[in-house]
Amino acid sequence: MRISDRLLMGPGPSNPYPEVTMALGRPILGHLDPRFLELLDETNDRLRQLFGTSNRLTLPVSGTGSAGMEASFVNFVRPGDTVVVGVNGLFGERMCDVAVRHGAKVVRVDAEWGKPIEPARLLEAHPHPALIAVVHAETSTGVRNEIAPLGEGKADALLLVDMVTSLGGIDVAVDRWSVDIAYSGTQKCLGVPPGLAPLTVSARALGRRVERPSSWYLDLGLLAGYVNDTAGRGRVYHHTAPVAMVAALHAGLGALIEEGLDQARARHASCGTLLQEGLAELGLELLVSAEQHRLPQLTTVLVPAGVDDAAVRRELLSTYDIEIGAGAGRLAGKVWRIGCMGHTARRRNVLALLAALGEVLGR
Amino acid sequence: MRISDRLLMGPGPSNPYPEVTMALGRPILGHLDPRFLELLDETNDRLRQLFGTSNRLTLPVSGTGSAGMEASFVNFVRPGDTVVVGVNGLFGERMCDVAVRHGAKVVRVDAEWGKPIEPARLLEAHPHPALIAVVHAETSTGVRNEIAPLGEGKADALLLVDMVTSLGGIDVAVDRWSVDIAYSGTQKCLGVPPGLAPLTVSARALGRRVERPSSWYLDLGLLAGYVNDTAGRGRVYHHTAPVAMVAALHAGLGALIEEGLDQARARHASCGTLLQEGLAELGLELLVSAEQHRLPQLTTVLVPAGVDDAAVRRELLSTYDIEIGAGAGRLAGKVWRIGCMGHTARRRNVLALLAALGEVLGR
């Protein structure tokens, strides 16, 4: 099979950092090898820096971002618990589905797809929910939801935030915002292939975790025994850690930290601005009208009337080796999603995409 | 960090095939890219060859082998179902834990760790269980359990088999043995890093699957829509597939199939014999006394009296860069587990291990 060298500008995966690809080419280590455990510890330290937290329980869950979502609900929701979920896109919808499967009574707070959710509405939705859950950066719409006021106003509730598309790309501050549970994915702004879900849990949340959740694989009590030596007698084997992917994550986080987290965020911001201005110059309309609610790393643009959505994406892929994303959920066929995340977030790539899209659209 | 080049002769991971490492170093593809979907289809075809099945629903689950175990229970067990589980090692124990979490009434059939479970005992344990579950190759003991008679005698029950350590190393015949659900792991005899759980499900089992299992991430109805286009309108996005690991699995299966599955099994068999004879020559005793119940790919050997278990393993690791495994569960401290799986299953490696172990033990 011929090797394709795609420029990945969809909603993820993004192109991995070269350091990540090199890490994947290294000999692997056993999951109980002291050198691997050292690498895992360092990976978790790096994740703490990215999340802005000192949470002891911070680890890559052995599944994709959605496994992080599931781990967040299965370990903290008991049947009958009231869970307030903000829904202004596909991933908010998904949270509702996952929460209901674990027996939660879900109180939905909907907002238009393309508009943010007002924090006050989430805080006023129920007098004493067990949990308030919201998506920080909605990958289906390109909207940024505000988190800080939720931490201030959550009272006794736990605050759960999906940071799949935000971590590494825009400001994230788990401790400062009083977030109790946050998860992410590796294939967005971290510049690592998909396969792991970074997760962090506050001590406050840990004190309320479900003792024996329905999922053995995602049981945080068991996972903590492997990542943190909670029993004080060495690590306890749970499942075989995906060592190659952990090495890749370690390398990706290393690249970001070496660049500087502020610099990396500024790079995402300037690429986002360049892209969004360029799309406007092509005469295209963005879904998210208010600039302050847009994500730099994920831009949704309306498919112009009379243009064949799929044909444009196919042409970009076949002629230019550039991938952009289709609309998802109720936006299917109506928007394109253009990602500018991780290693992909480079001025050169944005210019290439804009020029190619201009050619395909004949503008 | 200095790069360690370990010879991985523990219970997994094994050393990846060179083709696998090369595949991990390639540019990645998006999870909806036509070229990736082609690669995924081909991977699933290759898995069918390995499993010996024509099951349409055959796929790599996006988690390690244990996620395969969990997917097998969460999709097929309803609260109150009777599940017969064979237990002659740690992974049989784990099956009981997972089954109970999903509401099953578990009927345990125990056998001594190091001895196989007689199929008749599993078939007679309950008059009409919903499911009979057993581990084909017990990684904690090195015992091979017989599967074929279970398929013949299962009557109305579904037959679920853990093939984590057997697939690719010894004969496996899902269709011929009438196995309904089987899962595996990539990091054993397939010679791929850990991170995926190959899974195959018969049409008979599919007809009885739980409509909306508690796990969204492992919901086979949703997974099937992505891998198989079940709705006939193209693939439906579920979660972002771990594209790099799927490419690695594709390459590992390719290497095995190119070698020939019979040849690969013969290679595992001859390495196992060489290892087990060599250990006997060193004066060491194997846990599994009957030769016909031993696995060639995973050998448990008793730690001799007066020998420091951990010190020997440390010395092998630090001086020789060879990893062997400790005992697990009730065999902790009592045995070493020596794997000879996937790319590691080479005469050269067995000779190196035997010579090194001889030096460390002073024999």
Side-chain angles (χ1 to χ4, degrees):
Chain A
M1 204 183 272
R2 197 178 65 81
I3 296 178
S4 302
D5 187 22
R6 307 291 204 207
L7 175 57
L8 297 174
M9 301 191 75
S14 59
N15 294 101
Y17 286 101
E19 291 87 345
V20 169
T21 305
M22 288 174 69
L24 282 170
R26 279 195 216 135
I28 67 169
L29 292 163
H31 61 288
L32 295 169
D33 190 309
R35 281 182 172 270
F36 175 72
L37 295 172
E38 201 182 309
L39 184 131
L40 178 63
D41 285 345
E42 206 166 277
T43 301
N44 295 341
D45 279 342
R46 291 176 181 184
L47 283 177
R48 287 183 192 97
Q49 284 186 61
L50 268 281
F51 274 123
T53 187
S54 59
N55 287 339
R56 179 162 150 80
L57 188 57
T58 302
L59 76 160
V61 169
S62 303
T64 67
S66 299
M69 182 190 289
E70 188 143 294
S72 300
F73 283 97
V74 74
N75 282 285
F76 298 101
V77 171
R78 290 168 178 80
D81 277 357
T82 296
V83 174
V84 171
V85 182
V87 181
N88 59 343
L90 189 70
F91 295 91
E93 299 265 13
R94 182 173 299 180
M95 277 182 161
C96 296
D97 188 348
V98 173
V100 165
R101 287 177 192 238
H102 296 302
K105 284 190 291 195
V106 169
V107 178
R108 273 176 78 120
V109 176
D110 278 89
E112 198 182 324
W113 286 35
K115 298 262 191 293
I117 304 172
E118 283 188 41
R121 292 185 55 221
L122 286 165
L123 294 171
E124 290 158 11
H126 190 274
H128 46 75
L131 199 131
I132 300 171
V134 71
V135 177
H136 187 202
E138 245 301 345
T139 322
S140 61
T141 63
V143 162
R144 178 201 313 240
N145 285 316
E146 221 187 335
I147 306 301
L150 299 174
E152 283 166 28
K154 67 181 176 180
D156 191 52
L158 294 178
L159 176 58
L160 163 58
V161 182
D162 175 318
M163 296 184 168
V164 169
T165 293
S166 57
L167 192 69
I170 55 174
D171 191 28
V172 150
V174 164
D175 287 358
R176 186 153 47 79
W177 296 344
S178 297
V179 174
D180 292 291
I181 306 152
Y183 60 88
S184 190
T186 46
Q187 77 275 18
K188 314 278 186 180
C189 299
L190 304 184
V192 175
L196 297 175
L199 176 76
T200 188
V201 178
S202 72
R204 181 169 174 266
L206 262 189
R208 302 193 202 173
R209 81 175 168 82
V210 177
E211 192 61 40
R212 202 185 186 205
S214 66
S215 172
W216 180 93
Y217 188 64
L218 300 173
D219 182 335
L220 280 177
L222 300 176
L223 289 169
Y226 171 66
V227 296
N228 281 345
D229 180 14
T230 48
R233 290 177 317 228
R235 320 261 183 164
V236 181
Y237 161 66
H238 177 245
H239 67 272
T240 303
V243 292
M245 281 301 305
V246 173
L249 176 58
H250 179 266
L253 297 171
L256 275 165
I257 289 167
E258 200 173 335
E259 176 182 6
L261 298 185
D262 287 342
Q263 282 84 344
R265 282 189 288 255
R267 173 163 59 79
H268 282 86
S270 72
C271 283
T273 304
L274 180 68
L275 174 66
Q276 289 163 8
E277 288 175 356
L279 291 168
E281 278 168 31
L282 285 173
L284 298 170
E285 191 184 341
L286 302 185
L287 176 76
V288 185
S289 48
E291 204 180 312
Q292 74 272 25
H293 300 142
R294 286 183 203 147
L295 296 170
Q297 68 270 43
L298 198 284
T299 299
T300 42
V301 53
L302 304 185
V303 178
V307 168
D308 182 337
D309 159 33
V312 169
R313 287 185 285 111
R314 263 198 312 273
E315 176 74 9
L316 283 172
L317 201 61
S318 60
T319 304
Y320 304 86
D321 253 337
I322 299 178
E323 176 180 86
I324 66 169
R330 67 179 70 163
L331 292 173
K334 296 182 184 152
V335 300
W336 291 309
R337 291 183 293 159
I338 306 177
C340 220
M341 307 190 286
H343 181 54
T344 304
R346 310 278 168 199
R347 194 169 181 86
R348 178 188 72 188
N349 296 335
V350 176
L351 295 176
L353 179 270
L354 287 169
L357 188 59
E359 284 191 8
V360 172
L361 294 174
R363 298 185 181 200
Chain B
M1 205 183 273
R2 195 177 66 80
I3 296 177
S4 301
D5 187 21
R6 307 290 205 208
L7 175 56
L8 297 173
M9 300 191 77
S14 58
N15 294 101
Y17 285 100
E19 291 86 346
V20 169
T21 306
M22 287 173 70
L24 282 169
R26 279 196 216 136
I28 66 169
L29 292 164
H31 61 289
L32 296 170
D33 190 309
R35 282 182 172 269
F36 175 72
L37 295 172
E38 200 181 311
L39 184 130
L40 178 62
D41 285 344
E42 205 166 277
T43 302
N44 295 340
D45 279 341
R46 291 177 180 184
L47 283 177
R48 287 183 192 97
Q49 285 187 61
L50 268 281
F51 274 123
T53 187
S54 59
N55 286 339
R56 179 163 149 81
L57 187 57
T58 302
L59 76 160
V61 170
S62 302
T64 66
S66 299
M69 183 189 288
E70 188 142 293
S72 300
F73 284 97
V74 76
N75 283 285
F76 298 99
V77 171
R78 292 170 176 80
D81 276 358
T82 297
V83 174
V84 172
V85 182
V87 182
N88 59 343
L90 188 70
F91 295 90
E93 299 264 14
R94 181 172 299 179
M95 277 183 162
C96 295
D97 188 347
V98 172
V100 166
R101 287 176 192 236
H102 296 302
K105 285 190 290 194
V106 170
V107 178
R108 274 177 77 121
V109 175
D110 279 88
E112 198 183 322
W113 286 35
K115 297 263 191 292
I117 305 173
E118 284 188 40
R121 292 185 54 222
L122 287 164
L123 294 172
E124 290 157 10
H126 190 274
H128 46 75
L131 198 131
I132 300 172
V134 72
V135 177
H136 187 202
E138 244 302 344
T139 322
S140 61
T141 63
V143 162
R144 178 202 312 239
N145 286 315
E146 222 186 336
I147 305 301
L150 299 173
E152 283 166 28
K154 68 181 176 182
D156 192 53
L158 294 177
L159 176 58
L160 162 59
V161 181
D162 175 319
M163 296 184 169
V164 169
T165 294
S166 57
L167 192 70
I170 56 174
D171 191 29
V172 150
V174 163
D175 287 358
R176 188 154 44 83
W177 296 343
S178 298
V179 173
D180 292 290
I181 307 152
Y183 60 88
S184 189
T186 46
Q187 76 276 17
K188 313 280 186 177
C189 299
L190 304 184
V192 176
L196 297 175
L199 175 76
T200 188
V201 178
S202 72
R204 183 169 172 264
L206 264 188
R208 301 194 202 170
R209 79 176 171 81
V210 176
E211 192 61 40
R212 201 184 185 205
S214 66
S215 172
W216 180 93
Y217 188 63
L218 300 173
D219 183 333
L220 280 178
L222 300 176
L223 290 170
Y226 171 66
V227 296
N228 281 344
D229 179 14
T230 48
R233 291 177 317 231
R235 320 262 182 164
V236 181
Y237 162 64
H238 176 245
H239 67 273
T240 303
V243 292
M245 281 300 304
V246 172
L249 175 59
H250 179 265
L253 296 171
L256 274 165
I257 289 167
E258 201 173 335
E259 176 182 7
L261 298 185
D262 286 341
Q263 282 82 344
R265 282 189 287 255
R267 173 163 58 80
H268 282 86
S270 72
C271 283
T273 304
L274 181 69
L275 173 66
Q276 289 163 8
E277 289 176 356
L279 291 168
E281 277 168 33
L282 285 172
L284 298 169
E285 192 184 341
L286 302 185
L287 176 74
V288 185
S289 47
E291 204 180 311
Q292 75 272 23
H293 300 142
R294 286 183 203 147
L295 296 169
Q297 68 270 44
L298 198 284
T299 300
T300 42
V301 53
L302 303 184
V303 177
V307 168
D308 183 337
D309 159 34
V312 169
R313 287 185 286 112
R314 265 198 309 274
E315 176 74 7
L316 282 172
L317 201 62
S318 60
T319 305
Y320 305 85
D321 253 336
I322 300 178
E323 176 180 85
I324 65 168
R330 68 179 70 162
L331 291 174
K334 294 182 188 154
V335 300
W336 292 310
R337 290 183 295 159
I338 306 178
C340 219
M341 307 189 289
H343 181 54
T344 304
R346 309 278 168 200
R347 193 168 181 88
R348 178 188 72 191
N349 295 334
V350 176
L351 295 175
L353 179 271
L354 286 169
L357 188 59
E359 283 192 9
V360 172
L361 293 175
R363 299 186 181 198

